[in-house]
Amino acid sequence: MTEELLDATDHEILGLLREDARRTLSDIAGRVTLSTAAVKRRIDRLRETGVITGFTVQVDHAKLGWGIEAFTELRFVGNTKVAEILRTTTRMPEAQAVFTIAGDPDALVWLRVRDMAHLQTTIDEIRRHHQVTGTKTLIALESWSRGH
């Protein structure tokens, strides 16, 4: 499904679900002035076409003891395949997301750790990978996200 096939009501439904994925169909229906059945059909269509890929929960990681976020740029040996770049960190519980990048650096890794010692251990682990030639880490002071 492409952007052109979504109408304003679809976008409104998506926005409401981004705010709270546990909204009831009747709550959404009241906000977009459709019947509950019509909202269900639209959400089902958005799921079937892959626009909605799942429903999730937002967690306060600081309350779980993983309150530090950092972003690490990774540089690799020139002949490293993209799949290998991804494998370098995707198995690490500290890695929240990995983005391969065209240009320099080769990848950006979003990390979440308990404290500075944990961050240092995590960076050391990444650097031990035989194809990583360099890293640069930025620590997030505060964050905001539109949601997924």
Side-chain angles (χ1 to χ4, degrees), residues 11-47:
H11 285 285
E12 192 173 356
I13 290 169
L14 288 170
L16 290 167
L17 288 171
R18 279 190 196 109
E19 288 174 6
D20 183 358
R22 291 177 46 128
R23 283 186 194 275
T24 64
L25 294 174
S26 61
D27 176 58
I28 295 169
R31 292 173 186 260
V32 300
T33 62
L34 289 176
S35 70
T36 302
V39 168
K40 181 177 182 333
R41 281 192 302 273
R42 282 176 179 255
I43 291 173
D44 288 346
R45 178 177 47 84
L46 291 167
R47 289 182 73 194

Short mmCIF file of all heavy atoms in Angstrom, two decimals, residues 11-47:
data_model
loop_
_atom_site.label_atom_id
_atom_site.label_comp_id
_atom_site.label_asym_id
_atom_site.label_seq_id
_atom_site.Cartn_x
_atom_site.Cartn_y
_atom_site.Cartn_z
N HIS A 11 -4.85 8.18 8.13
CA HIS A 11 -3.76 8.87 8.84
C HIS A 11 -4.19 9.23 10.26
O HIS A 11 -3.39 9.12 11.20
CB HIS A 11 -3.31 10.11 8.07
CG HIS A 11 -2.48 9.78 6.88
ND1 HIS A 11 -1.16 9.38 6.96
CD2 HIS A 11 -2.78 9.78 5.56
CE1 HIS A 11 -0.68 9.17 5.75
NE2 HIS A 11 -1.66 9.39 4.87
N GLU A 12 -5.43 9.64 10.43
CA GLU A 12 -5.93 9.98 11.75
C GLU A 12 -5.97 8.73 12.64
O GLU A 12 -5.58 8.77 13.82
CB GLU A 12 -7.31 10.61 11.64
CG GLU A 12 -7.78 11.25 12.92
CD GLU A 12 -9.09 12.03 12.75
OE1 GLU A 12 -9.60 12.13 11.62
OE2 GLU A 12 -9.60 12.52 13.78
N ILE A 13 -6.42 7.62 12.09
CA ILE A 13 -6.45 6.36 12.84
C ILE A 13 -5.04 5.96 13.23
O ILE A 13 -4.78 5.57 14.38
CB ILE A 13 -7.15 5.25 12.01
CG1 ILE A 13 -8.64 5.54 11.90
CG2 ILE A 13 -6.90 3.87 12.63
CD1 ILE A 13 -9.39 4.67 10.91
N LEU A 14 -4.11 6.06 12.30
CA LEU A 14 -2.71 5.72 12.62
C LEU A 14 -2.17 6.61 13.72
O LEU A 14 -1.48 6.14 14.64
CB LEU A 14 -1.84 5.83 11.36
CG LEU A 14 -2.05 4.75 10.31
CD1 LEU A 14 -1.32 5.11 9.02
CD2 LEU A 14 -1.60 3.39 10.83
N GLY A 15 -2.48 7.89 13.67
CA GLY A 15 -2.02 8.82 14.71
C GLY A 15 -2.59 8.45 16.08
O GLY A 15 -1.87 8.48 17.08
N LEU A 16 -3.85 8.10 16.11
CA LEU A 16 -4.47 7.71 17.38
C LEU A 16 -3.84 6.43 17.92
O LEU A 16 -3.60 6.30 19.13
CB LEU A 16 -5.98 7.52 17.19
CG LEU A 16 -6.77 8.81 16.94
CD1 LEU A 16 -8.18 8.49 16.45
CD2 LEU A 16 -6.81 9.67 18.20
N LEU A 17 -3.56 5.47 17.05
CA LEU A 17 -2.92 4.23 17.50
C LEU A 17 -1.48 4.46 17.95
O LEU A 17 -1.00 3.79 18.86
CB LEU A 17 -2.98 3.17 16.39
CG LEU A 17 -4.37 2.59 16.14
CD1 LEU A 17 -4.36 1.72 14.89
CD2 LEU A 17 -4.86 1.81 17.35
N ARG A 18 -0.78 5.41 17.31
CA ARG A 18 0.58 5.74 17.75
C ARG A 18 0.56 6.32 19.16
O ARG A 18 1.44 6.05 19.96
CB ARG A 18 1.23 6.74 16.80
CG ARG A 18 1.79 6.12 15.57
CD ARG A 18 2.62 7.17 14.81
NE ARG A 18 2.87 6.75 13.46
CZ ARG A 18 2.33 7.28 12.37
NH1 ARG A 18 1.50 8.30 12.46
NH2 ARG A 18 2.63 6.82 11.19
N GLU A 19 -0.45 7.13 19.45
CA GLU A 19 -0.57 7.72 20.79
C GLU A 19 -0.86 6.65 21.83
O GLU A 19 -0.35 6.69 22.94
CB GLU A 19 -1.69 8.75 20.82
CG GLU A 19 -1.38 10.04 20.11
CD GLU A 19 -2.60 10.96 20.04
OE1 GLU A 19 -3.66 10.65 20.66
OE2 GLU A 19 -2.49 11.99 19.36
N ASP A 20 -1.73 5.70 21.48
CA ASP A 20 -2.12 4.65 22.42
C ASP A 20 -2.65 3.45 21.63
O ASP A 20 -3.79 3.45 21.17
CB ASP A 20 -3.21 5.16 23.38
CG ASP A 20 -3.61 4.13 24.42
OD1 ASP A 20 -3.08 3.00 24.41
OD2 ASP A 20 -4.47 4.47 25.26
N ALA A 21 -1.81 2.45 21.48
CA ALA A 21 -2.17 1.27 20.70
C ALA A 21 -3.27 0.44 21.37
O ALA A 21 -3.83 -0.45 20.74
CB ALA A 21 -0.94 0.41 20.44
N ARG A 22 -3.60 0.76 22.61
CA ARG A 22 -4.65 0.02 23.31
C ARG A 22 -6.01 0.69 23.22
O ARG A 22 -6.97 0.25 23.84
CB ARG A 22 -4.26 -0.15 24.78
CG ARG A 22 -3.09 -1.10 24.96
CD ARG A 22 -2.67 -1.19 26.41
NE ARG A 22 -3.81 -1.36 27.28
CZ ARG A 22 -3.95 -2.31 28.18
NH1 ARG A 22 -2.99 -3.18 28.34
NH2 ARG A 22 -5.01 -2.38 28.95
N ARG A 23 -6.11 1.73 22.42
CA ARG A 23 -7.41 2.39 22.25
C ARG A 23 -8.43 1.36 21.77
O ARG A 23 -8.13 0.50 20.96
CB ARG A 23 -7.33 3.47 21.18
CG ARG A 23 -6.69 4.73 21.62
CD ARG A 23 -6.82 5.77 20.50
NE ARG A 23 -5.95 6.88 20.72
CZ ARG A 23 -6.25 7.92 21.49
NH1 ARG A 23 -7.41 7.98 22.08
NH2 ARG A 23 -5.38 8.89 21.64
N THR A 24 -9.63 1.52 22.23
CA THR A 24 -10.70 0.64 21.76
C THR A 24 -11.15 1.10 20.38
O THR A 24 -10.99 2.26 20.00
CB THR A 24 -11.90 0.66 22.72
OG1 THR A 24 -12.47 1.97 22.72
CG2 THR A 24 -11.49 0.24 24.13
N LEU A 25 -11.74 0.18 19.65
CA LEU A 25 -12.29 0.52 18.34
C LEU A 25 -13.37 1.58 18.47
O LEU A 25 -13.48 2.49 17.65
CB LEU A 25 -12.83 -0.72 17.64
CG LEU A 25 -11.79 -1.77 17.25
CD1 LEU A 25 -12.49 -3.02 16.70
CD2 LEU A 25 -10.82 -1.21 16.24
N SER A 26 -14.17 1.48 19.53
CA SER A 26 -15.26 2.46 19.70
C SER A 26 -14.69 3.85 20.01
O SER A 26 -15.25 4.86 19.55
CB SER A 26 -16.25 2.01 20.77
OG SER A 26 -15.62 1.88 22.01
N ASP A 27 -13.60 3.93 20.75
CA ASP A 27 -12.97 5.23 21.01
C ASP A 27 -12.46 5.85 19.72
O ASP A 27 -12.71 7.03 19.44
CB ASP A 27 -11.82 5.08 22.02
CG ASP A 27 -11.08 6.38 22.24
OD1 ASP A 27 -11.71 7.37 22.66
OD2 ASP A 27 -9.85 6.42 21.98
N ILE A 28 -11.78 5.04 18.92
CA ILE A 28 -11.27 5.53 17.63
C ILE A 28 -12.43 5.95 16.74
O ILE A 28 -12.41 7.01 16.11
CB ILE A 28 -10.39 4.46 16.94
CG1 ILE A 28 -9.14 4.18 17.78
CG2 ILE A 28 -10.01 4.90 15.52
CD1 ILE A 28 -8.35 2.97 17.33
N ALA A 29 -13.47 5.12 16.69
CA ALA A 29 -14.64 5.42 15.85
C ALA A 29 -15.25 6.76 16.22
O ALA A 29 -15.61 7.57 15.35
CB ALA A 29 -15.67 4.31 15.98
N GLY A 30 -15.35 7.04 17.50
CA GLY A 30 -15.92 8.30 17.94
C GLY A 30 -15.06 9.50 17.55
O GLY A 30 -15.57 10.56 17.23
N ARG A 31 -13.76 9.30 17.54
CA ARG A 31 -12.85 10.41 17.21
C ARG A 31 -12.77 10.68 15.70
O ARG A 31 -12.47 11.79 15.31
CB ARG A 31 -11.47 10.12 17.78
CG ARG A 31 -11.44 10.16 19.29
CD ARG A 31 -10.10 9.69 19.83
NE ARG A 31 -10.12 9.59 21.25
CZ ARG A 31 -9.62 10.51 22.08
NH1 ARG A 31 -9.10 11.61 21.60
NH2 ARG A 31 -9.67 10.33 23.37
N VAL A 32 -12.99 9.64 14.90
CA VAL A 32 -12.89 9.83 13.44
C VAL A 32 -14.27 9.84 12.78
O VAL A 32 -14.36 9.88 11.55
CB VAL A 32 -11.98 8.78 12.77
CG1 VAL A 32 -10.57 8.86 13.32
CG2 VAL A 32 -12.55 7.38 12.90
N THR A 33 -15.29 9.80 13.58
CA THR A 33 -16.69 9.81 13.13
C THR A 33 -17.00 8.74 12.09
O THR A 33 -17.56 9.01 11.02
CB THR A 33 -17.12 11.21 12.63
OG1 THR A 33 -16.33 11.57 11.50
CG2 THR A 33 -17.00 12.27 13.72
N LEU A 34 -16.63 7.52 12.42
CA LEU A 34 -17.01 6.33 11.64
C LEU A 34 -17.62 5.33 12.58
O LEU A 34 -17.49 5.44 13.81
CB LEU A 34 -15.77 5.70 10.98
CG LEU A 34 -15.10 6.42 9.83
CD1 LEU A 34 -13.84 5.66 9.41
CD2 LEU A 34 -16.04 6.57 8.65
N SER A 35 -18.22 4.29 12.03
CA SER A 35 -18.73 3.22 12.87
C SER A 35 -17.56 2.37 13.36
O SER A 35 -16.47 2.36 12.76
CB SER A 35 -19.70 2.35 12.08
OG SER A 35 -18.99 1.60 11.10
N THR A 36 -17.79 1.64 14.43
CA THR A 36 -16.76 0.74 14.96
C THR A 36 -16.38 -0.30 13.90
O THR A 36 -15.20 -0.60 13.73
CB THR A 36 -17.28 0.04 16.23
OG1 THR A 36 -17.62 1.04 17.19
CG2 THR A 36 -16.24 -0.88 16.83
N ALA A 37 -17.35 -0.81 13.19
CA ALA A 37 -17.07 -1.81 12.14
C ALA A 37 -16.20 -1.22 11.03
O ALA A 37 -15.28 -1.89 10.54
CB ALA A 37 -18.38 -2.33 11.56
N ALA A 38 -16.47 0.02 10.64
CA ALA A 38 -15.67 0.66 9.60
C ALA A 38 -14.23 0.87 10.06
O ALA A 38 -13.28 0.68 9.29
CB ALA A 38 -16.30 1.99 9.19
N VAL A 39 -14.05 1.25 11.31
CA VAL A 39 -12.69 1.42 11.86
C VAL A 39 -11.97 0.08 11.88
O VAL A 39 -10.80 -0.02 11.50
CB VAL A 39 -12.74 2.06 13.27
CG1 VAL A 39 -11.38 1.96 13.95
CG2 VAL A 39 -13.19 3.50 13.18
N LYS A 40 -12.67 -0.97 12.29
CA LYS A 40 -12.05 -2.30 12.31
C LYS A 40 -11.61 -2.71 10.92
O LYS A 40 -10.51 -3.23 10.73
CB LYS A 40 -12.99 -3.35 12.90
CG LYS A 40 -12.34 -4.74 12.94
CD LYS A 40 -13.20 -5.76 13.56
CE LYS A 40 -12.57 -7.13 13.68
NZ LYS A 40 -11.55 -7.50 12.75
N ARG A 41 -12.47 -2.49 9.92
CA ARG A 41 -12.11 -2.83 8.54
C ARG A 41 -10.87 -2.06 8.10
O ARG A 41 -9.98 -2.61 7.45
CB ARG A 41 -13.28 -2.54 7.59
CG ARG A 41 -14.36 -3.60 7.60
CD ARG A 41 -15.35 -3.43 6.45
NE ARG A 41 -16.00 -2.12 6.43
CZ ARG A 41 -17.11 -1.83 7.09
NH1 ARG A 41 -17.71 -2.73 7.83
NH2 ARG A 41 -17.63 -0.61 7.00
N ARG A 42 -10.80 -0.78 8.44
CA ARG A 42 -9.65 0.02 8.05
C ARG A 42 -8.37 -0.47 8.73
O ARG A 42 -7.33 -0.59 8.10
CB ARG A 42 -9.88 1.50 8.37
CG ARG A 42 -10.79 2.19 7.36
CD ARG A 42 -11.05 3.62 7.79
NE ARG A 42 -11.90 4.31 6.84
CZ ARG A 42 -11.47 5.21 5.96
NH1 ARG A 42 -10.21 5.55 5.91
NH2 ARG A 42 -12.32 5.79 5.14
N ILE A 43 -8.46 -0.76 10.02
CA ILE A 43 -7.28 -1.25 10.74
C ILE A 43 -6.86 -2.61 10.19
O ILE A 43 -5.67 -2.86 9.97
CB ILE A 43 -7.53 -1.31 12.26
CG1 ILE A 43 -7.64 0.12 12.81
CG2 ILE A 43 -6.42 -2.09 12.97
CD1 ILE A 43 -8.07 0.20 14.26
N ASP A 44 -7.81 -3.48 9.93
CA ASP A 44 -7.49 -4.78 9.32
C ASP A 44 -6.79 -4.61 7.98
O ASP A 44 -5.81 -5.29 7.68
CB ASP A 44 -8.77 -5.62 9.14
CG ASP A 44 -9.33 -6.15 10.45
OD1 ASP A 44 -8.61 -6.10 11.48
OD2 ASP A 44 -10.50 -6.59 10.45
N ARG A 45 -7.29 -3.67 7.17
CA ARG A 45 -6.67 -3.40 5.86
C ARG A 45 -5.25 -2.87 6.04
O ARG A 45 -4.32 -3.28 5.33
CB ARG A 45 -7.52 -2.41 5.07
CG ARG A 45 -6.93 -2.04 3.70
CD ARG A 45 -7.83 -1.10 2.90
NE ARG A 45 -8.36 0.02 3.64
CZ ARG A 45 -7.71 1.18 3.84
NH1 ARG A 45 -6.50 1.35 3.36
NH2 ARG A 45 -8.29 2.14 4.52
N LEU A 46 -5.05 -1.97 6.99
CA LEU A 46 -3.72 -1.42 7.24
C LEU A 46 -2.76 -2.51 7.72
O LEU A 46 -1.57 -2.49 7.38
CB LEU A 46 -3.80 -0.27 8.27
CG LEU A 46 -4.51 0.99 7.77
CD1 LEU A 46 -4.82 1.93 8.93
CD2 LEU A 46 -3.68 1.69 6.70
N ARG A 47 -3.26 -3.48 8.47
CA ARG A 47 -2.42 -4.60 8.91
C ARG A 47 -2.12 -5.54 7.73
O ARG A 47 -0.98 -5.96 7.54
CB ARG A 47 -3.11 -5.37 10.03
CG ARG A 47 -3.14 -4.57 11.33
CD ARG A 47 -3.76 -5.34 12.45
NE ARG A 47 -2.82 -6.38 12.86
CZ ARG A 47 -3.15 -7.38 13.64
NH1 ARG A 47 -4.36 -7.52 14.10
NH2 ARG A 47 -2.25 -8.27 13.97
#
